[in-house]
Amino acid sequence: MQYTMKKPLILSLAAALACAILPFTPIRAAAAPVVSSETKEHKDARMAWWREAKFGMFVHWGLYSVPGGYYQNKKIGGFGEWIMHNAKIPIADYAAFAPQFNPVKFNADEWVKIVKDAGMKYIVITAKHHEGFAMFHTKVDDYNIYDATPFKRDPIAELAAACRKQGIKLGLYYSQNLDWHHAGGGGAAWDPAHAGDPEKYVNEIVIPQVKEILTNYGEIPIIWWDIPGGNVITRERAQRIYQTMIECSPNIIMNNRLSGYKGDTATPEGFIPPQGYPGKDWETCMTINGTWGYKKDSKKFQTTEDLLRNLIDIASKGGNYLLNVGPDAEGVIPAGEVQPISAIGKWLQVNGAAIYGTSTTLFGEECGSFSATEKDKKGQPVFKPTWDWRCTTKPGKTYIHILKWPGASFTLDTKGKLGAVTKAYMLADSNKTPLTVTMDGGKLTVTLPAQAPDPIASVLVLETAAGVR
Ligand code: FHN
């Protein structure tokens, strides 16, 4: 089935008009290279909700959910969303999945409720991944979920409405630098139809679609570009894409994956930087089962304990956690992904104060999460974090996340990093029953309750004189 190009001129005029109406704050001037003239105050205000949020859901959903990791009855290795590439599926054959894609069980309110119940504050969903298929009703061509499938709905529009209703922020992922459907889109050469002019791809697909996703769905506070570098998105083209983004959404938060741009957030993928990135906004994105896109036979799902420890470790190092789910072709988020995140949500209902809006640990070394115990063959430090406890902070409050219950008491050599403790109690104890605190020189000892309030992480709150950490 040939997907026809719509009349780009009329389109871009319309979208350009829409973008022109929006206020253009000169603060984040687009003229690259990428030295932003934004003041620290302005950036702090722009990033405030994101820094408070700490926990979000990444959603990889697309045509690749139909094959679910199999092609021509053969199991295809690698990430589910890379099946077109890994099986070298010709463009026309891959597009044949579209008529089979009818996610009638998709329910935006239900998805957003899963996010909310998990204690997540924002979603980042794939508007277009490397397969080039738009998961929104784009006007640039018919290769989208509205025009090319029997579904005939726009899930991004429905999610935007559900997010507004439930107070969840909706961010959009956009693969600007790899597009295996559109000629010139880069990263593919197993089909003669891949050959094409990247300039045409950027002008007729990327820029018009960026305008659409940033103007057709209300406020989109995050854009998550992918993949940095490459020969398609040159510095000059990246500047035009950046310009388009800023004109459409001046206060948007963007990651560091648009060629040549530092962006607002660093994006370590699949790992937690041992010492975080001090002074930087960063967000670890991670799968629950080793694939971003849906695979029919996924069995290995990380446990609630694995994932909750990650969230606590990331928060203790000043980062955000963007945890991924890969819905199936019916529009259902697999139970193996819903189960652990909803368990984390229950933990956050009791212990959220020790995560949301917190700052970094005082005791990176002391809790064994910072230090590298040995070196690898190349002499690089090998970090093997110990999982006894972690620490997050707020003015006047220090939260000790006890991951391995020490028994009768918790002891810590504070090395003078902690002000005088005025009160100690377990966060799960709504009566805040005071625990006995003794300070011997710098050595703090807190008598603990007989039972650990939580099997995975029990939070001990140490209150110190106001303003003293
Ligand atoms: O290739 C993609 C991959 O499919 C997935 O989207 C991840 C998510 O961060 N990003 C790229 C790999 O770095």
Side-chain angles (χ1 to χ4, degrees), residues 58 60 79 81-82 126 129-130 173 178 224 226-227 257 269 285 292:
F58 211 174
H60 278 70
F79 292 146
E81 74 282 3
W82 273 70
T126 50
H129 201 266
H130 310 333
Y173 167 110
L178 278 186
W224 219 95
D226 213 6
I227 287 184
R257 297 192 181 195
E269 178 172 316
C285 58
W292 304 93

mmCIF file with all atom_site columns, all heavy atoms in Angstrom, residues 58 60 79 81-82 126 129-130 173 178 224 226-227 257 269 285 292, ligand 1:
data_model
loop_
_atom_site.group_PDB
_atom_site.id
_atom_site.type_symbol
_atom_site.label_atom_id
_atom_site.label_alt_id
_atom_site.label_comp_id
_atom_site.label_asym_id
_atom_site.label_entity_id
_atom_site.label_seq_id
_atom_site.pdbx_PDB_ins_code
_atom_site.Cartn_x
_atom_site.Cartn_y
_atom_site.Cartn_z
_atom_site.occupancy
_atom_site.B_iso_or_equiv
_atom_site.pdbx_formal_charge
_atom_site.auth_seq_id
_atom_site.auth_comp_id
_atom_site.auth_asym_id
_atom_site.auth_atom_id
_atom_site.pdbx_PDB_model_num
ATOM   1   N N   . PHE A 1 58  ? 7.668  5.824  30.826 1.00 0.00 ? 58  PHE A N   1
ATOM   2   C CA  . PHE A 1 58  ? 8.069  5.864  29.418 1.00 0.00 ? 58  PHE A CA  1
ATOM   3   C C   . PHE A 1 58  ? 7.153  4.848  28.724 1.00 0.00 ? 58  PHE A C   1
ATOM   4   O O   . PHE A 1 58  ? 6.903  3.768  29.275 1.00 0.00 ? 58  PHE A O   1
ATOM   5   C CB  . PHE A 1 58  ? 9.532  5.413  29.312 1.00 0.00 ? 58  PHE A CB  1
ATOM   6   C CG  . PHE A 1 58  ? 10.360 6.000  28.209 1.00 0.00 ? 58  PHE A CG  1
ATOM   7   C CD1 . PHE A 1 58  ? 11.733 5.714  28.160 1.00 0.00 ? 58  PHE A CD1 1
ATOM   8   C CD2 . PHE A 1 58  ? 9.815  6.831  27.238 1.00 0.00 ? 58  PHE A CD2 1
ATOM   9   C CE1 . PHE A 1 58  ? 12.538 6.279  27.158 1.00 0.00 ? 58  PHE A CE1 1
ATOM   10  C CE2 . PHE A 1 58  ? 10.619 7.394  26.247 1.00 0.00 ? 58  PHE A CE2 1
ATOM   11  C CZ  . PHE A 1 58  ? 11.977 7.114  26.200 1.00 0.00 ? 58  PHE A CZ  1
ATOM   12  N N   . HIS A 1 60  ? 6.649  2.903  25.090 1.00 0.00 ? 60  HIS A N   1
ATOM   13  C CA  . HIS A 1 60  ? 7.022  2.586  23.704 1.00 0.00 ? 60  HIS A CA  1
ATOM   14  C C   . HIS A 1 60  ? 5.884  1.797  23.094 1.00 0.00 ? 60  HIS A C   1
ATOM   15  O O   . HIS A 1 60  ? 5.652  0.654  23.489 1.00 0.00 ? 60  HIS A O   1
ATOM   16  C CB  . HIS A 1 60  ? 8.327  1.783  23.657 1.00 0.00 ? 60  HIS A CB  1
ATOM   17  C CG  . HIS A 1 60  ? 9.560  2.625  23.765 1.00 0.00 ? 60  HIS A CG  1
ATOM   18  N ND1 . HIS A 1 60  ? 9.922  3.269  24.925 1.00 0.00 ? 60  HIS A ND1 1
ATOM   19  C CD2 . HIS A 1 60  ? 10.502 2.936  22.833 1.00 0.00 ? 60  HIS A CD2 1
ATOM   20  C CE1 . HIS A 1 60  ? 11.048 3.934  24.714 1.00 0.00 ? 60  HIS A CE1 1
ATOM   21  N NE2 . HIS A 1 60  ? 11.419 3.757  23.461 1.00 0.00 ? 60  HIS A NE2 1
ATOM   22  N N   . PHE A 1 79  ? 15.649 -5.502 20.792 1.00 0.00 ? 79  PHE A N   1
ATOM   23  C CA  . PHE A 1 79  ? 14.471 -4.782 21.284 1.00 0.00 ? 79  PHE A CA  1
ATOM   24  C C   . PHE A 1 79  ? 13.281 -5.010 20.346 1.00 0.00 ? 79  PHE A C   1
ATOM   25  O O   . PHE A 1 79  ? 13.441 -4.988 19.122 1.00 0.00 ? 79  PHE A O   1
ATOM   26  C CB  . PHE A 1 79  ? 14.764 -3.278 21.337 1.00 0.00 ? 79  PHE A CB  1
ATOM   27  C CG  . PHE A 1 79  ? 15.788 -2.849 22.365 1.00 0.00 ? 79  PHE A CG  1
ATOM   28  C CD1 . PHE A 1 79  ? 16.639 -1.778 22.100 1.00 0.00 ? 79  PHE A CD1 1
ATOM   29  C CD2 . PHE A 1 79  ? 15.882 -3.460 23.601 1.00 0.00 ? 79  PHE A CD2 1
ATOM   30  C CE1 . PHE A 1 79  ? 17.576 -1.345 23.040 1.00 0.00 ? 79  PHE A CE1 1
ATOM   31  C CE2 . PHE A 1 79  ? 16.793 -3.034 24.559 1.00 0.00 ? 79  PHE A CE2 1
ATOM   32  C CZ  . PHE A 1 79  ? 17.652 -1.976 24.272 1.00 0.00 ? 79  PHE A CZ  1
ATOM   33  N N   . GLU A 1 81  ? 10.989 -2.977 19.479 1.00 0.00 ? 81  GLU A N   1
ATOM   34  C CA  . GLU A 1 81  ? 10.741 -1.836 18.595 1.00 0.00 ? 81  GLU A CA  1
ATOM   35  C C   . GLU A 1 81  ? 11.757 -1.750 17.463 1.00 0.00 ? 81  GLU A C   1
ATOM   36  O O   . GLU A 1 81  ? 11.627 -0.916 16.569 1.00 0.00 ? 81  GLU A O   1
ATOM   37  C CB  . GLU A 1 81  ? 10.719 -0.540 19.412 1.00 0.00 ? 81  GLU A CB  1
ATOM   38  C CG  . GLU A 1 81  ? 12.055 -0.025 19.894 1.00 0.00 ? 81  GLU A CG  1
ATOM   39  C CD  . GLU A 1 81  ? 12.597 -0.753 21.116 1.00 0.00 ? 81  GLU A CD  1
ATOM   40  O OE1 . GLU A 1 81  ? 11.964 -1.719 21.580 1.00 0.00 ? 81  GLU A OE1 1
ATOM   41  O OE2 . GLU A 1 81  ? 13.690 -0.368 21.582 1.00 0.00 ? 81  GLU A OE2 1
ATOM   42  N N   . TRP A 1 82  ? 12.794 -2.628 17.511 1.00 0.00 ? 82  TRP A N   1
ATOM   43  C CA  . TRP A 1 82  ? 13.815 -2.640 16.448 1.00 0.00 ? 82  TRP A CA  1
ATOM   44  C C   . TRP A 1 82  ? 13.585 -3.780 15.456 1.00 0.00 ? 82  TRP A C   1
ATOM   45  O O   . TRP A 1 82  ? 14.447 -4.068 14.621 1.00 0.00 ? 82  TRP A O   1
ATOM   46  C CB  . TRP A 1 82  ? 15.207 -2.759 17.079 1.00 0.00 ? 82  TRP A CB  1
ATOM   47  C CG  . TRP A 1 82  ? 15.819 -1.451 17.455 1.00 0.00 ? 82  TRP A CG  1
ATOM   48  C CD1 . TRP A 1 82  ? 15.426 -0.627 18.475 1.00 0.00 ? 82  TRP A CD1 1
ATOM   49  C CD2 . TRP A 1 82  ? 16.907 -0.772 16.795 1.00 0.00 ? 82  TRP A CD2 1
ATOM   50  N NE1 . TRP A 1 82  ? 16.195 0.511  18.495 1.00 0.00 ? 82  TRP A NE1 1
ATOM   51  C CE2 . TRP A 1 82  ? 17.117 0.447  17.486 1.00 0.00 ? 82  TRP A CE2 1
ATOM   52  C CE3 . TRP A 1 82  ? 17.706 -1.090 15.687 1.00 0.00 ? 82  TRP A CE3 1
ATOM   53  C CZ2 . TRP A 1 82  ? 18.115 1.351  17.097 1.00 0.00 ? 82  TRP A CZ2 1
ATOM   54  C CZ3 . TRP A 1 82  ? 18.693 -0.190 15.310 1.00 0.00 ? 82  TRP A CZ3 1
ATOM   55  C CH2 . TRP A 1 82  ? 18.889 1.022  16.004 1.00 0.00 ? 82  TRP A CH2 1
ATOM   56  N N   . THR A 1 126 ? 5.908  7.476  22.860 1.00 0.00 ? 126 THR A N   1
ATOM   57  C CA  . THR A 1 126 ? 6.483  7.562  21.507 1.00 0.00 ? 126 THR A CA  1
ATOM   58  C C   . THR A 1 126 ? 5.456  8.074  20.506 1.00 0.00 ? 126 THR A C   1
ATOM   59  O O   . THR A 1 126 ? 4.537  7.337  20.102 1.00 0.00 ? 126 THR A O   1
ATOM   60  C CB  . THR A 1 126 ? 6.957  6.166  21.048 1.00 0.00 ? 126 THR A CB  1
ATOM   61  O OG1 . THR A 1 126 ? 5.879  5.224  21.265 1.00 0.00 ? 126 THR A OG1 1
ATOM   62  C CG2 . THR A 1 126 ? 8.179  5.705  21.844 1.00 0.00 ? 126 THR A CG2 1
ATOM   63  N N   . HIS A 1 129 ? 8.440  6.545  16.532 1.00 0.00 ? 129 HIS A N   1
ATOM   64  C CA  . HIS A 1 129 ? 9.715  5.887  16.823 1.00 0.00 ? 129 HIS A CA  1
ATOM   65  C C   . HIS A 1 129 ? 10.457 5.645  15.516 1.00 0.00 ? 129 HIS A C   1
ATOM   66  O O   . HIS A 1 129 ? 10.055 6.146  14.447 1.00 0.00 ? 129 HIS A O   1
ATOM   67  C CB  . HIS A 1 129 ? 9.457  4.572  17.581 1.00 0.00 ? 129 HIS A CB  1
ATOM   68  C CG  . HIS A 1 129 ? 10.660 4.108  18.345 1.00 0.00 ? 129 HIS A CG  1
ATOM   69  N ND1 . HIS A 1 129 ? 11.567 3.206  17.817 1.00 0.00 ? 129 HIS A ND1 1
ATOM   70  C CD2 . HIS A 1 129 ? 11.142 4.422  19.564 1.00 0.00 ? 129 HIS A CD2 1
ATOM   71  C CE1 . HIS A 1 129 ? 12.535 2.994  18.696 1.00 0.00 ? 129 HIS A CE1 1
ATOM   72  N NE2 . HIS A 1 129 ? 12.311 3.722  19.764 1.00 0.00 ? 129 HIS A NE2 1
ATOM   73  N N   . HIS A 1 130 ? 11.543 4.864  15.532 1.00 0.00 ? 130 HIS A N   1
ATOM   74  C CA  . HIS A 1 130 ? 12.389 4.702  14.341 1.00 0.00 ? 130 HIS A CA  1
ATOM   75  C C   . HIS A 1 130 ? 11.619 4.109  13.153 1.00 0.00 ? 130 HIS A C   1
ATOM   76  O O   . HIS A 1 130 ? 11.980 4.326  12.008 1.00 0.00 ? 130 HIS A O   1
ATOM   77  C CB  . HIS A 1 130 ? 13.590 3.806  14.646 1.00 0.00 ? 130 HIS A CB  1
ATOM   78  C CG  . HIS A 1 130 ? 14.365 4.179  15.873 1.00 0.00 ? 130 HIS A CG  1
ATOM   79  N ND1 . HIS A 1 130 ? 14.415 5.461  16.371 1.00 0.00 ? 130 HIS A ND1 1
ATOM   80  C CD2 . HIS A 1 130 ? 15.091 3.412  16.736 1.00 0.00 ? 130 HIS A CD2 1
ATOM   81  C CE1 . HIS A 1 130 ? 15.180 5.471  17.454 1.00 0.00 ? 130 HIS A CE1 1
ATOM   82  N NE2 . HIS A 1 130 ? 15.597 4.245  17.712 1.00 0.00 ? 130 HIS A NE2 1
ATOM   83  N N   . TYR A 1 173 ? 7.878  11.552 22.877 1.00 0.00 ? 173 TYR A N   1
ATOM   84  C CA  . TYR A 1 173 ? 9.139  11.059 22.320 1.00 0.00 ? 173 TYR A CA  1
ATOM   85  C C   . TYR A 1 173 ? 9.035  11.191 20.809 1.00 0.00 ? 173 TYR A C   1
ATOM   86  O O   . TYR A 1 173 ? 8.004  10.874 20.210 1.00 0.00 ? 173 TYR A O   1
ATOM   87  C CB  . TYR A 1 173 ? 9.320  9.588  22.706 1.00 0.00 ? 173 TYR A CB  1
ATOM   88  C CG  . TYR A 1 173 ? 10.402 8.820  21.984 1.00 0.00 ? 173 TYR A CG  1
ATOM   89  C CD1 . TYR A 1 173 ? 11.570 8.420  22.640 1.00 0.00 ? 173 TYR A CD1 1
ATOM   90  C CD2 . TYR A 1 173 ? 10.257 8.453  20.649 1.00 0.00 ? 173 TYR A CD2 1
ATOM   91  C CE1 . TYR A 1 173 ? 12.568 7.706  21.967 1.00 0.00 ? 173 TYR A CE1 1
ATOM   92  C CE2 . TYR A 1 173 ? 11.245 7.743  19.981 1.00 0.00 ? 173 TYR A CE2 1
ATOM   93  C CZ  . TYR A 1 173 ? 12.391 7.377  20.640 1.00 0.00 ? 173 TYR A CZ  1
ATOM   94  O OH  . TYR A 1 173 ? 13.376 6.674  19.967 1.00 0.00 ? 173 TYR A OH  1
ATOM   95  N N   . LEU A 1 178 ? 16.347 8.794  13.179 1.00 0.00 ? 178 LEU A N   1
ATOM   96  C CA  . LEU A 1 178 ? 16.240 7.456  12.576 1.00 0.00 ? 178 LEU A CA  1
ATOM   97  C C   . LEU A 1 178 ? 14.794 7.304  12.137 1.00 0.00 ? 178 LEU A C   1
ATOM   98  O O   . LEU A 1 178 ? 13.893 7.404  12.960 1.00 0.00 ? 178 LEU A O   1
ATOM   99  C CB  . LEU A 1 178 ? 16.555 6.356  13.592 1.00 0.00 ? 178 LEU A CB  1
ATOM   100 C CG  . LEU A 1 178 ? 18.005 5.984  13.888 1.00 0.00 ? 178 LEU A CG  1
ATOM   101 C CD1 . LEU A 1 178 ? 18.070 4.768  14.818 1.00 0.00 ? 178 LEU A CD1 1
ATOM   102 C CD2 . LEU A 1 178 ? 18.766 5.721  12.614 1.00 0.00 ? 178 LEU A CD2 1
ATOM   103 N N   . TRP A 1 224 ? 11.140 14.442 24.013 1.00 0.00 ? 224 TRP A N   1
ATOM   104 C CA  . TRP A 1 224 ? 12.219 13.466 24.242 1.00 0.00 ? 224 TRP A CA  1
ATOM   105 C C   . TRP A 1 224 ? 12.751 13.023 22.872 1.00 0.00 ? 224 TRP A C   1
ATOM   106 O O   . TRP A 1 224 ? 12.181 12.173 22.211 1.00 0.00 ? 224 TRP A O   1
ATOM   107 C CB  . TRP A 1 224 ? 11.633 12.274 25.014 1.00 0.00 ? 224 TRP A CB  1
ATOM   108 C CG  . TRP A 1 224 ? 12.525 11.697 26.065 1.00 0.00 ? 224 TRP A CG  1
ATOM   109 C CD1 . TRP A 1 224 ? 12.518 11.997 27.410 1.00 0.00 ? 224 TRP A CD1 1
ATOM   110 C CD2 . TRP A 1 224 ? 13.539 10.701 25.903 1.00 0.00 ? 224 TRP A CD2 1
ATOM   111 N NE1 . TRP A 1 224 ? 13.463 11.264 28.068 1.00 0.00 ? 224 TRP A NE1 1
ATOM   112 C CE2 . TRP A 1 224 ? 14.110 10.464 27.169 1.00 0.00 ? 224 TRP A CE2 1
ATOM   113 C CE3 . TRP A 1 224 ? 14.040 9.995  24.782 1.00 0.00 ? 224 TRP A CE3 1
ATOM   114 C CZ2 . TRP A 1 224 ? 15.135 9.540  27.380 1.00 0.00 ? 224 TRP A CZ2 1
ATOM   115 C CZ3 . TRP A 1 224 ? 15.062 9.087  24.970 1.00 0.00 ? 224 TRP A CZ3 1
ATOM   116 C CH2 . TRP A 1 224 ? 15.604 8.874  26.271 1.00 0.00 ? 224 TRP A CH2 1
ATOM   117 N N   . ASP A 1 226 ? 15.337 11.518 20.010 1.00 0.00 ? 226 ASP A N   1
ATOM   118 C CA  . ASP A 1 226 ? 16.164 10.295 19.922 1.00 0.00 ? 226 ASP A CA  1
ATOM   119 C C   . ASP A 1 226 ? 16.599 10.087 18.471 1.00 0.00 ? 226 ASP A C   1
ATOM   120 O O   . ASP A 1 226 ? 15.804 10.409 17.562 1.00 0.00 ? 226 ASP A O   1
ATOM   121 C CB  . ASP A 1 226 ? 15.335 9.092  20.429 1.00 0.00 ? 226 ASP A CB  1
ATOM   122 C CG  . ASP A 1 226 ? 16.192 8.025  21.122 1.00 0.00 ? 226 ASP A CG  1
ATOM   123 O OD1 . ASP A 1 226 ? 17.395 8.253  21.318 1.00 0.00 ? 226 ASP A OD1 1
ATOM   124 O OD2 . ASP A 1 226 ? 15.661 6.947  21.411 1.00 0.00 ? 226 ASP A OD2 1
ATOM   125 N N   . ILE A 1 227 ? 17.586 9.833  18.074 1.00 0.00 ? 227 ILE A N   1
ATOM   126 C CA  . ILE A 1 227 ? 18.889 9.479  18.663 1.00 0.00 ? 227 ILE A CA  1
ATOM   127 C C   . ILE A 1 227 ? 19.832 10.634 18.360 1.00 0.00 ? 227 ILE A C   1
ATOM   128 O O   . ILE A 1 227 ? 19.771 11.207 17.283 1.00 0.00 ? 227 ILE A O   1
ATOM   129 C CB  . ILE A 1 227 ? 19.402 8.157  18.013 1.00 0.00 ? 227 ILE A CB  1
ATOM   130 C CG1 . ILE A 1 227 ? 18.581 7.004  18.554 1.00 0.00 ? 227 ILE A CG1 1
ATOM   131 C CG2 . ILE A 1 227 ? 20.849 7.925  18.285 1.00 0.00 ? 227 ILE A CG2 1
ATOM   132 C CD1 . ILE A 1 227 ? 19.067 5.657  18.052 1.00 0.00 ? 227 ILE A CD1 1
ATOM   133 N N   . ARG A 1 257 ? 19.240 14.725 23.439 1.00 0.00 ? 257 ARG A N   1
ATOM   134 C CA  . ARG A 1 257 ? 19.459 13.840 22.301 1.00 0.00 ? 257 ARG A CA  1
ATOM   135 C C   . ARG A 1 257 ? 19.106 14.493 20.955 1.00 0.00 ? 257 ARG A C   1
ATOM   136 O O   . ARG A 1 257 ? 18.720 13.805 20.002 1.00 0.00 ? 257 ARG A O   1
ATOM   137 C CB  . ARG A 1 257 ? 18.682 12.533 22.489 1.00 0.00 ? 257 ARG A CB  1
ATOM   138 C CG  . ARG A 1 257 ? 19.153 11.734 23.705 1.00 0.00 ? 257 ARG A CG  1
ATOM   139 C CD  . ARG A 1 257 ? 18.589 10.339 23.727 1.00 0.00 ? 257 ARG A CD  1
ATOM   140 N NE  . ARG A 1 257 ? 19.046 9.610  24.908 1.00 0.00 ? 257 ARG A NE  1
ATOM   141 C CZ  . ARG A 1 257 ? 18.953 8.289  25.048 1.00 0.00 ? 257 ARG A CZ  1
ATOM   142 N NH1 . ARG A 1 257 ? 18.433 7.566  24.077 1.00 0.00 ? 257 ARG A NH1 1
ATOM   143 N NH2 . ARG A 1 257 ? 19.356 7.700  26.156 1.00 0.00 ? 257 ARG A NH2 1
ATOM   144 N N   . GLU A 1 269 ? 20.851 5.653  29.965 1.00 0.00 ? 269 GLU A N   1
ATOM   145 C CA  . GLU A 1 269 ? 19.855 4.667  29.536 1.00 0.00 ? 269 GLU A CA  1
ATOM   146 C C   . GLU A 1 269 ? 20.190 3.291  30.077 1.00 0.00 ? 269 GLU A C   1
ATOM   147 O O   . GLU A 1 269 ? 21.286 2.777  29.838 1.00 0.00 ? 269 GLU A O   1
ATOM   148 C CB  . GLU A 1 269 ? 19.824 4.633  28.007 1.00 0.00 ? 269 GLU A CB  1
ATOM   149 C CG  . GLU A 1 269 ? 18.866 3.634  27.426 1.00 0.00 ? 269 GLU A CG  1
ATOM   150 C CD  . GLU A 1 269 ? 18.733 3.792  25.918 1.00 0.00 ? 269 GLU A CD  1
ATOM   151 O OE1 . GLU A 1 269 ? 18.620 4.948  25.451 1.00 0.00 ? 269 GLU A OE1 1
ATOM   152 O OE2 . GLU A 1 269 ? 18.760 2.772  25.218 1.00 0.00 ? 269 GLU A OE2 1
ATOM   153 N N   . CYS A 1 285 ? 16.454 6.276  32.117 1.00 0.00 ? 285 CYS A N   1
ATOM   154 C CA  . CYS A 1 285 ? 15.316 5.563  31.535 1.00 0.00 ? 285 CYS A CA  1
ATOM   155 C C   . CYS A 1 285 ? 15.678 4.075  31.514 1.00 0.00 ? 285 CYS A C   1
ATOM   156 O O   . CYS A 1 285 ? 16.848 3.715  31.298 1.00 0.00 ? 285 CYS A O   1
ATOM   157 C CB  . CYS A 1 285 ? 14.988 6.062  30.133 1.00 0.00 ? 285 CYS A CB  1
ATOM   158 S SG  . CYS A 1 285 ? 16.346 5.952  28.948 1.00 0.00 ? 285 CYS A SG  1
ATOM   159 N N   . TRP A 1 292 ? 11.993 -2.259 25.057 1.00 0.00 ? 292 TRP A N   1
ATOM   160 C CA  . TRP A 1 292 ? 11.172 -1.063 25.169 1.00 0.00 ? 292 TRP A CA  1
ATOM   161 C C   . TRP A 1 292 ? 9.815  -1.338 24.532 1.00 0.00 ? 292 TRP A C   1
ATOM   162 O O   . TRP A 1 292 ? 8.766  -1.128 25.118 1.00 0.00 ? 292 TRP A O   1
ATOM   163 C CB  . TRP A 1 292 ? 11.889 0.113  24.497 1.00 0.00 ? 292 TRP A CB  1
ATOM   164 C CG  . TRP A 1 292 ? 13.251 0.385  25.028 1.00 0.00 ? 292 TRP A CG  1
ATOM   165 C CD1 . TRP A 1 292 ? 14.436 -0.102 24.542 1.00 0.00 ? 292 TRP A CD1 1
ATOM   166 C CD2 . TRP A 1 292 ? 13.614 1.156  26.175 1.00 0.00 ? 292 TRP A CD2 1
ATOM   167 N NE1 . TRP A 1 292 ? 15.491 0.332  25.281 1.00 0.00 ? 292 TRP A NE1 1
ATOM   168 C CE2 . TRP A 1 292 ? 15.019 1.098  26.301 1.00 0.00 ? 292 TRP A CE2 1
ATOM   169 C CE3 . TRP A 1 292 ? 12.885 1.902  27.105 1.00 0.00 ? 292 TRP A CE3 1
ATOM   170 C CZ2 . TRP A 1 292 ? 15.715 1.754  27.315 1.00 0.00 ? 292 TRP A CZ2 1
ATOM   171 C CZ3 . TRP A 1 292 ? 13.575 2.567  28.125 1.00 0.00 ? 292 TRP A CZ3 1
ATOM   172 C CH2 . TRP A 1 292 ? 14.960 2.485  28.224 1.00 0.00 ? 292 TRP A CH2 1
HETATM 173 O O1  . FHN B 2 .   ? 16.943 2.996  19.761 1.00 0.00 ? 1   FHN B O1  1
HETATM 174 C C1  . FHN B 2 .   ? 16.249 3.556  20.812 1.00 0.00 ? 1   FHN B C1  1
HETATM 175 C C2  . FHN B 2 .   ? 15.496 2.516  21.565 1.00 0.00 ? 1   FHN B C2  1
HETATM 176 O O2  . FHN B 2 .   ? 14.623 1.882  20.701 1.00 0.00 ? 1   FHN B O2  1
HETATM 177 C C3  . FHN B 2 .   ? 14.753 3.150  22.704 1.00 0.00 ? 1   FHN B C3  1
HETATM 178 O O3  . FHN B 2 .   ? 13.829 4.077  22.206 1.00 0.00 ? 1   FHN B O3  1
HETATM 179 C C4  . FHN B 2 .   ? 15.745 3.886  23.609 1.00 0.00 ? 1   FHN B C4  1
HETATM 180 C C5  . FHN B 2 .   ? 15.009 4.594  24.744 1.00 0.00 ? 1   FHN B C5  1
HETATM 181 O O4  . FHN B 2 .   ? 15.828 5.500  25.343 1.00 0.00 ? 1   FHN B O4  1
HETATM 182 N N1  . FHN B 2 .   ? 16.485 4.873  22.825 1.00 0.00 ? 1   FHN B N1  1
HETATM 183 C C6  . FHN B 2 .   ? 17.211 4.349  21.687 1.00 0.00 ? 1   FHN B C6  1
HETATM 184 C C7  . FHN B 2 .   ? 18.422 3.604  22.084 1.00 0.00 ? 1   FHN B C7  1
HETATM 185 O O5  . FHN B 2 .   ? 19.273 4.484  22.765 1.00 0.00 ? 1   FHN B O5  1
#
